[in-house]
């Protein structure tokens, strides 16, 4: 059942007995003075039985301890030690000097409760609503948005290790003793702690081993197809076979050429993905998405998505997080990753405006689409040589959506003196109109205005905020799974927002005072 902090306090509390020794101006001191305004036991009452069992460690104390662990980057074992011997921690947690500390396993159990009941998201939202209640945000909120890679906690594996790991998961879920004797014999070489003992430098031996593994995997999938409690692991094994193996044309399996879309890279964390922050910067894991209010530098929204996901897709969910906390966003400033038409339209539907540069259009043959004068009202285009196209054809874009194609006269293009700088081949030049062509034309015009340029320069503020989150551990996942990684990101954001709220004097008269 729910345990509660003693409202009367204790004369033996570290803050009362040795408050003068607590690090002045530190996160510990601030949490001891102001933490009660954000974190109370009643906030977590729905996570516990109402009248059964022994009283728990007060959840407000446990949540404070998770924030301290985030701030100091401590493991559960180290957190347990500090709650027992560290004066700063004892003061921040409101513990008596002789308190034996919090057990290491208690931290993991409490985190599980927090994730199950989304208590981390509720506490994060409370940091934003606190700022709203104090009137800290301007009338027109300018929000900044960006993303950052999060290195996954799982081991990145090659095809053979993926198959072996997935086979082991299915066998554990099904129970090895429940499998037929012949299947157990064929799987035995893959249930050991090491790879099968073959010459891995020999390409022919590797091909033979792959064929043996795929055959065994398919037999295993067939035998457990109708069993309860095995579906998730069986789906994982089937997905790995499908993504990494293909027919060589002669009926034999081989490693797939190229990379399958949304490829699983780890059996220990199947939600990890190959991702790229740029052409030269690849990572394996997840992607952190952050929305920040520019003037207060408070984080308004946090999410963790797949490492191979786009930057623009989470923009609307982040804006909705802010809206739910009472923040009405007027404009959102991002980099070019947020400048596509789909993201702009989605953001506009929330009532906000997307401010971001449009990605430049490239044409290896010379003149780009933006070098042409396109009139959308009359559906005609004028090329750099002065030729006008009014021929419109129906076509589809890369997302298979219907759009239009403006085609220039073939004879005029053939005799054009600057053709070599415009189009290759024998056909005429054609321009595909984006589904959001009007919106993108307006955005290209807007980004030349001094006021928009000034807003785009303010985007650097969020890069500092992401660096701060990295310092709080958000650069690398400590836990496997995207939801647990989001817990880690939310805790870092709560710590960051708590510091900003204290600096902005958002907290009222302190209820807990450290002894002078």
């Amino acid at each position: 059942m729910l345990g509660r902090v003693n409202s009367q306090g204790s004369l033996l509390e570290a803050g009362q007995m040795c408050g003068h020794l607590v690090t002045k101006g530190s996160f510990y001191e601030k949490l001891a003075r102001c933490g009660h305004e954000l974190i109370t036991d009643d906030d977590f009452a729905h996570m516990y039985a109402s009248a059964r069992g022994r009283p728990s460690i007060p959840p407000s104390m446990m949540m404070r301890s998770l924030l301290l662990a985030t701030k100091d980057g401590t493991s559960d074992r180290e957190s347990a030690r500090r709650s027992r011997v560290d004066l700063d921690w004892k003061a921040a947690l409101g513990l008596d000097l002789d308190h034996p500390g919090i057990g290491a396993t208690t931290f993991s159990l409490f985190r599980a409760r927090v994730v199950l009941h989304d208590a981390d998201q509720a506490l994060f939202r409370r940091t934003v609503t606190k700022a709203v209640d104090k009137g800290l945000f301007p009338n027109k909120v300018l929000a900044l948005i960006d993303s950052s890679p999060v290195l996954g906690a799982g081991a990145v594996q090659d095809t053979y290790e993926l198959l072996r790991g997935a086979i082991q998961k299915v066998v554990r879920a099904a129970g090895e003793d429940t499998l037929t004797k012949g299947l157990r014999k064929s799987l035995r070489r893959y249930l050991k702690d090491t790879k099968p003992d073959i010459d891995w430098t020999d390409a022919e031996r590797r091909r033979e081993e792959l064929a043996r593994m795929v055959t065994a995997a398919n037999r295993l999938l067939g035998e457990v197809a109708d069993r309860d409690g095995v579906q998730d692991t069986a789906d994982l094994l089937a997905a790995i076979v499908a993504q990494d193996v293909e027919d060589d044309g002669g009926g034999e399996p081989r490693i797939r050429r190229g990379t399958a879309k949304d490829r699983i890279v780890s059996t220990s964390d199947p939600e990890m993905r190959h991702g790229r922050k740029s052409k030269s910067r690849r990572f394996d894991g997840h992607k952190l998405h952050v929305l920040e209010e520019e003037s207060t530098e408070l984080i308004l929204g946090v999410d963790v998505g797949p490492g191979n996901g786009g930057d623009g897709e989470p923009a609307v969910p982040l804006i909705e997080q802010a809206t739910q906390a009472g923040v009405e966003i007027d404009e959102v400033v991002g980099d070019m990753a947020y400048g596509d038409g789909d993201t702009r339209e989605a953001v506009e539907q929330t009532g906000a405006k997307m401010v971001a540069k449009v990605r430049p259009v490239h044409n290896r043959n010379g003149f780009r689409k933006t070098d042409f004068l396109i009139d959308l009202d009359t559906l005609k285009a004028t090329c750099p040589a002065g030729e006008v196209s009014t021929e419109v054809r129906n076509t589809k874009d890369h997302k298979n959506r219907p759009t239009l194609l403006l085609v220039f006269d073939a004879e005029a293009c053939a005799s054009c003196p600057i053709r070599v700088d415009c189009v290759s081949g024998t056909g005429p030049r054609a321009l595909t109109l984006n589904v959001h062509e009007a919106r993108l034309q307006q955005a290209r015009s807007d980004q030349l205005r001094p006021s928009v340029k000034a807003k785009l320069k303010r985007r650097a503020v969020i890069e500092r905020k992401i660096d701060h989150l990295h310092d709080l551990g958000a650069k690398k996942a400590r836990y496997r799974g995207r939801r647990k990684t989001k817990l880690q990101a939310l805790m870092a954001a709560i710590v960051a927002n708590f510091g900003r709220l204290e600096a902005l004097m958002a907290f009222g008269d302190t209820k807990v005072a450290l002894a002078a």
Side-chain angles (χ1 to χ4, degrees), residues 128 132 137 141 293 300 319 322-329:
V128 182
V132 172
F137 296 124
V141 171
E293 199 281 313
L300 303 177
I319 294 172
T323 302
Q324 291 168 5
V327 181
E328 295 298 328
I329 297 176

Side-chain angles (χ1 to χ4, degrees), residues 207-510:
R207 282 194 294 270
E208 292 174 356
E209 188 61 38
L210 179 65
R212 190 181 293 118
M213 294 183 82
V214 171
T215 300
N218 288 331
R219 285 184 60 190
L220 177 60
L221 289 172
E223 192 161 313
V224 303
D226 299 324
R227 298 193 188 186
D228 295 332
V230 188
Q231 192 61 46
D232 289 344
T233 55
D235 288 346
L236 175 62
L237 176 57
I240 290 172
V241 172
Q243 72 177 20
D244 275 20
V245 181
E246 65 181 4
D247 193 298
D248 66 355
E252 293 295 322
R254 70 179 179 193
I255 303 294
R256 177 186 290 273
R257 296 176 180 176
T259 303
K261 184 179 180 181
D262 206 36
R263 180 176 181 265
I264 298 168
V265 300
S266 173
T267 55
S268 56
D269 186 354
E271 292 183 310
M272 286 174 53
R273 293 294 183 270
H274 290 311
R276 286 189 179 276
K277 187 60 178 173
S278 65
K279 287 185 178 180
S280 61
R281 188 180 173 192
R282 204 193 86 168
F283 65 94
D284 297 303
H286 316 281
K287 191 177 285 187
L288 171 68
H289 302 276
V290 180
L291 185 73
E292 177 191 22
E293 199 281 313
E294 187 258 350
S295 64
T296 60
E297 299 186 27
L298 284 165
I299 299 172
L300 303 177
V302 179
D303 200 3
V304 173
N308 59 351
D311 285 2
E313 294 173 8
V316 169
L318 290 177
I319 294 172
E320 290 173 347
Q321 283 187 39
T323 302
Q324 291 168 5
V327 181
E328 295 298 328
I329 297 176
D330 186 57
E331 293 181 304
V332 181
V333 179
D335 58 22
M336 282 192 294
Y338 303 90
D340 63 282
D342 289 342
T343 301
R344 291 178 188 276
E345 181 185 41
V347 169
E348 288 171 9
Q349 289 177 355
T350 69
K353 178 183 178 181
M354 189 73 234
V355 180
K357 286 186 177 181
V358 182
R359 288 190 183 276
V361 179
H362 298 286
N363 178 21
R364 62 182 179 180
N365 299 310
F367 293 122
R368 300 165 298 177
K369 176 180 174 180
T370 49
D371 294 324
F372 292 70
L373 181 61
I374 301 174
D375 188 334
L376 296 177
D377 293 330
T378 58
L379 287 181
K380 69 178 182 179
T382 305
C383 76
E387 292 293 331
V388 177
S389 167
T390 57
E391 181 181 348
V392 180
R393 300 178 187 175
N394 293 320
T395 186
K396 292 187 176 181
D397 65 8
H398 65 288
K399 292 186 177 180
N400 205 35
R401 296 174 296 189
T403 186
L404 300 176
L405 191 70
L406 287 174
V407 184
F408 284 84
D409 181 71
E411 292 184 3
C413 283
S415 60
C416 181
I418 56 175
R419 175 186 175 86
V420 67
D421 294 323
C422 186
V423 62
S424 59
T426 58
R429 180 66 187 267
L431 303 176
T432 302
L433 298 184
N434 192 291
V435 172
H436 305 286
E437 191 68 40
R439 185 176 280 106
L440 295 178
Q441 281 190 8
Q442 184 62 51
R444 288 191 184 97
S445 175
D446 289 345
Q447 70 190 33
L448 301 177
R449 294 162 48 193
S451 59
V452 174
K453 288 182 178 180
K455 290 175 184 175
L456 290 172
K457 288 181 179 179
R458 290 152 71 178
R459 196 190 66 81
V461 173
I462 196 170
E463 294 179 353
R464 296 199 301 269
K465 183 61 65 175
I466 287 179
D467 283 343
H468 186 196
L469 295 179
H470 285 176
D471 292 340
L472 294 170
K475 189 173 184 179
K476 183 175 181 180
R478 297 183 64 178
Y479 317 111
R480 295 170 183 171
R482 198 169 297 152
R483 180 59 183 90
K484 292 180 181 178
T485 304
K486 183 178 179 179
L487 163 69
Q488 184 180 342
L490 284 166
M491 298 308 293
I494 293 167
V495 172
N497 274 2
F498 183 86
R500 288 301 303 159
L501 288 170
E502 201 277 338
L504 294 167
M505 296 183 289
F507 297 113
D509 295 335
T510 57

Side-chain angles (χ1 to χ4, degrees), residues 3-181:
R4 294 180 179 276
V5 172
N6 186 350
S7 59
Q8 293 184 348
S10 168
L11 292 175
L12 295 178
E13 282 185 15
Q16 295 291 340
M17 296 289 290
C18 304
H20 62 289
L21 298 178
V22 177
T23 307
K24 299 301 179 185
S26 65
F27 180 74
Y28 317 106
E29 182 190 44
K30 295 172 183 176
L31 189 60
R33 285 192 293 105
C34 309
H36 65 281
E37 295 195 35
L38 289 177
I39 310 169
T40 66
D41 292 323
D42 288 334
D43 299 328
F44 307 94
H46 62 288
M47 295 166 47
Y48 297 85
S50 58
R52 287 185 292 120
R54 293 179 300 174
S56 67
I57 294 177
S60 62
M61 184 185 298
M62 288 303 306
M63 183 57 78
R64 289 188 187 212
S65 69
L66 292 189
L67 295 179
L68 291 170
T70 299
K71 182 68 171 65
D72 290 354
T74 56
S75 65
D76 289 349
R77 188 180 296 275
E78 175 61 16
S79 296
R81 190 191 71 83
R82 294 196 184 192
S83 69
R84 185 178 73 254
V85 304
D86 191 303
L87 182 60
D88 282 338
W89 275 54
K90 281 184 176 290
L93 297 174
L95 295 177
D96 290 351
L97 284 173
D98 61 349
H99 193 282
I102 301 170
T105 57
T106 307
F107 289 95
S108 61
L109 292 173
F110 183 72
R111 276 198 302 272
R113 286 180 184 267
V114 167
V115 170
L116 180 63
H117 296 278
D118 292 331
D120 51 347
Q121 298 184 77
L123 179 57
F124 169 74
R125 188 181 303 117
R126 204 168 299 124
T127 65
V128 182
T129 56
K130 182 71 173 177
V132 172
D133 294 341
K134 289 292 183 177
L136 297 179
F137 296 124
N139 292 330
K140 291 188 176 181
V141 171
L142 177 70
L144 312 175
I145 192 170
D146 204 357
S147 69
S148 177
V150 181
L151 302 181
V156 179
Q157 300 163 304
D158 62 21
T159 298
Y160 298 94
E161 283 294 274
L162 284 171
L163 286 170
R164 192 166 68 91
I167 287 172
Q168 291 175 355
K169 282 178 174 286
V170 176
V171 171
R172 282 196 296 269
E176 185 177 353
D177 293 341
T178 67
L179 304 176
T180 60
K181 184 177 180 180

